[in-house]
Amino acid sequence: IWLGTGEAYKIVISAVTAVFPIVISTFAGIREVDSGLIKAAKDLGASMRQIQIKIVVPAALPAIFSGLQLGMGVTIILVVAAEMIGGSSDSGMGYLLVHAGQVMETEKVFAGLIALAVFGAVITNIQRRIDYLIAPWMEKKH
């Protein structure tokens, strides 16, 4: 209501929907860090900052990346839904899907859905490659 149906609405919807999966996954990843590693680092004289940078962050990266991937997927879906709901402008994938569905242009609906699926697959593969570049010790998913 406060933001209307324009671009600000879509940006806020995408940001809010992406934050929660990322934060929850990050929190879970940090909680799952092996306490034995932290105790060993303390025994060897590591500072809290060193423990966080050298042990906690690398151990939590798989969970953080999973949260990013989940957040991106949910965001893409909700941005299209936001365009469907607030489709007052004559642009956007959500508007295309709704308008084509209303005038029975099923080929445009299927083309839009296929384009969204391809876009999602490309984004997911790009993120996996970036994840592997940042954290090569993680298991590479095919």
Side-chain angles (χ1 to χ4, degrees):
I1 294 174
W2 295 326
L3 301 172
T5 59
E7 294 300 315
Y9 169 70
K10 295 173 196 172
I11 291 170
V12 169
I13 286 290
S14 63
V16 168
T17 57
V19 165
F20 292 111
I22 295 168
V23 169
I24 291 168
S25 294
T26 301
F27 182 72
I30 290 171
R31 288 190 62 198
E32 294 296 319
V33 174
D34 186 6
S35 61
L37 292 174
I38 295 172
K39 288 178 185 176
K42 283 181 184 177
D43 290 343
L44 292 171
S47 68
M48 284 307 293
R49 181 180 168 107
Q50 289 173 324
I51 291 171
Q52 290 171 353
I53 292 172
K54 301 279 186 178
I55 295 173
V56 175
V57 171
L61 275 178
I64 294 169
F65 289 152
S66 294
L68 286 170
Q69 195 168 13
L70 181 62
M72 274 196 292
V74 170
T75 298
I76 290 170
I77 292 167
L78 286 178
V79 166
V80 172
E83 288 178 348
M84 287 177 168
I85 293 169
S88 59
S89 65
D90 292 339
S91 63
M93 188 60 74
Y95 174 80
L96 172 79
L97 292 172
V98 169
H99 180 70
Q102 289 173 344
V103 295
M104 297 301 204
E105 293 178 332
T106 55
E107 67 279 358
K108 285 185 181 179
V109 173
F110 283 113
L113 293 174
I114 290 170
L116 282 172
V118 168
F119 178 70
V122 167
I123 292 294
T124 300
N125 285 330
I126 289 171
Q127 185 195 359
R128 283 185 183 159
R129 291 174 196 254
I130 292 170
D131 295 352
Y132 185 72
L133 288 173
I134 293 172
W137 64 88
M138 289 177 28
E139 179 182 323
K140 188 173 181 180
K141 299 173 187 170
H142 297 282

